[in-house]
Amino acid sequence: EFWYSDLQWGDAEVIQLCKALASAVMDKVESLELDRNQIGDEGAKALAEVLDGGSLPKLTYLNLQYNKLSAAGETAIKTAAKKRSITCYV
């Protein structure tokens, strides 16, 4: 599990995290908590790309509640999560 809740992270920090998440080193992560930050649509798009690219193969839970996603950002991450049967809260 990775808990990055309530850190006031924005898109830049999540994009950096996505670079690490896309690596094979993170192949055992099952849960990712990113709630209560300042993540917007760019961060959601980066996370969606990570999921769509097949990274985090064991991820089953993603929490992005209480961020700054628009409807488009929510749709992007929900769509990517649904393809992988990942429980996703936005």
Side-chain angles (χ1 to χ4, degrees), residues 8-30:
Q8 303 306 308
W9 278 11
D11 291 336
E13 291 83 5
V14 172
I15 290 168
Q16 286 299 111
L17 176 63
C18 285
K19 291 176 183 177
L21 294 175
S23 74
V25 174
M26 301 291 191
D27 66 349
K28 294 183 180 171
V29 176
E30 295 179 11

Side-chain angles (χ1 to χ4, degrees), residues 4 10-11 13-14 20 27-28 31 36-37 39 41-43 51 53-56 63 67 77 86:
Y4 297 106
D11 291 336
E13 291 83 5
V14 172
D27 66 349
K28 294 183 180 171
S31 176
R36 292 172 174 46
N37 282 293
I39 301 165
D41 291 347
E42 291 301 312
L51 297 180
S55 296
L56 301 170
N63 185 355
N67 278 287
I77 196 65
I86 296 168

Side-chain angles (χ1 to χ4, degrees), residues 2-90:
F2 281 92
W3 291 77
Y4 297 106
S5 301
D6 206 17
L7 297 174
Q8 303 306 308
W9 278 11
D11 291 336
E13 291 83 5
V14 172
I15 290 168
Q16 286 299 111
L17 176 63
C18 285
K19 291 176 183 177
L21 294 175
S23 74
V25 174
M26 301 291 191
D27 66 349
K28 294 183 180 171
V29 176
E30 295 179 11
S31 176
L32 185 56
E33 299 276 354
L34 292 166
D35 57 306
R36 292 172 174 46
N37 282 293
Q38 305 295 317
I39 301 165
D41 291 347
E42 291 301 312
K45 180 182 172 187
L47 283 167
E49 289 173 1
V50 167
L51 297 180
D52 285 339
S55 296
L56 301 170
K58 295 190 180 194
L59 191 70
T60 60
Y61 179 85
L62 175 60
N63 185 355
L64 284 166
Q65 294 182 93
Y66 308 109
N67 278 287
K68 295 187 174 193
L69 304 179
S70 71
E74 286 186 16
T75 298
I77 196 65
K78 283 181 178 181
T79 300
K82 186 176 181 178
K83 289 179 195 173
R84 301 257 310 268
S85 300
I86 296 168
T87 300
C88 180
Y89 293 100
V90 294

